[in-house]
């Protein structure tokens, strides 16, 4: 499972690993200049649509590394540390790192997951404001498509 947040109705709360009893994904202890980050998780359908939106946009490099967890059917977007403090997008969760800064590992940090968009040396994490807009647009597109059935 990629996320540690708890969804309650249409409101999402962020939690620390200690609060849920879960183990946070960890990177190797060696720091090779890796960038610290938080993790925003969303349902795979909405996340895939958001990735398409971000990659079709004017700044095609607006999306950073993205994890796919097939077992939980979720995508995880790596975002700057501190994002969880203000993250309030319904249907998603943002895992805080409490200042420890999850580091972008070369291998996916969660067993059973894989990189949809792997980290690259010059690729930054995804800007939270840009991600928020893409997730909102993705939700509207999915709702419109579902209403056409």
């Amino acid at each position: 499972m990629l996320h540690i947040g708890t969804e309650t109705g249409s409101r999402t709360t962020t939690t620390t690993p200690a609060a849920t009893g879960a183990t946070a994904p960890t990177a190797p202890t060696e720091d090779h200049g890796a960038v610290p980050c938080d993790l925003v998780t969303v349902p795979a359908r909405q996340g895939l649509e958001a990735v398409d939106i971000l990659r079709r946009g004017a700044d095609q490099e607006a999306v950073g590394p993205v994890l796919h967890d097939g077992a939980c059917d979720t995508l995880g977007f790596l975002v700057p540390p501190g994002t969880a403090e203000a993250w309030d997008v319904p249907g998603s969760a943002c895992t805080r790192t409490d200042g420890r800064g999850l580091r972008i590992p070369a291998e996916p940090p969660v067993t059973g997951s894989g990189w949809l968009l792997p980290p690259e040396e010059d690729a930054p994490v995804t800007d939270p404001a840009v991600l928020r807009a893409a997730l909102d647009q993705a939700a509207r597109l999915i709702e419109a498509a579902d209403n056409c059935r």
Side-chain angles (χ1 to χ4, degrees):
M1 191 173 212
L2 288 177
H3 66 85
I4 300 170
T6 304
E7 193 174 318
T8 55
S10 64
R11 187 181 130 150
T12 301
T13 56
T14 57
T15 57
T16 61
T20 62
T23 303
T26 58
T29 55
E30 295 179 30
D31 180 8
H32 297 286
V35 178
C37 58
D38 284 357
L39 182 70
V40 171
T41 54
V42 297
R45 184 177 179 200
Q46 183 181 10
L48 289 169
E49 191 68 46
V51 167
D52 285 344
I53 291 165
L54 291 168
R55 294 188 83 183
R56 285 190 316 250
D59 182 7
Q60 293 180 2
E61 296 179 14
V63 62
V66 179
L67 283 164
H68 177 246
D69 184 346
C72 294
D73 203 26
T74 58
L75 288 189
F77 292 83
L78 301 182
V79 295
T83 298
E85 294 173 20
W87 192 258
D88 61 353
V89 177
S92 68
C94 189
T95 303
R96 288 191 286 241
T97 60
D98 290 331
R100 291 186 310 272
L102 170 69
R103 303 285 177 176
I104 300 174
E107 296 298 319
V110 179
T111 303
S113 65
W115 290 112
L116 178 69
L117 297 175
E120 297 177 11
E121 287 205 25
D122 60 343
V125 293
T126 303
D127 180 282
V130 173
L131 178 58
R132 182 184 310 269
L135 290 172
D136 184 49
Q137 184 178 354
R140 289 191 315 266
L141 289 170
I142 291 168
E143 182 179 2
D146 289 349
N147 288 335
C148 289
R149 293 182 188 181

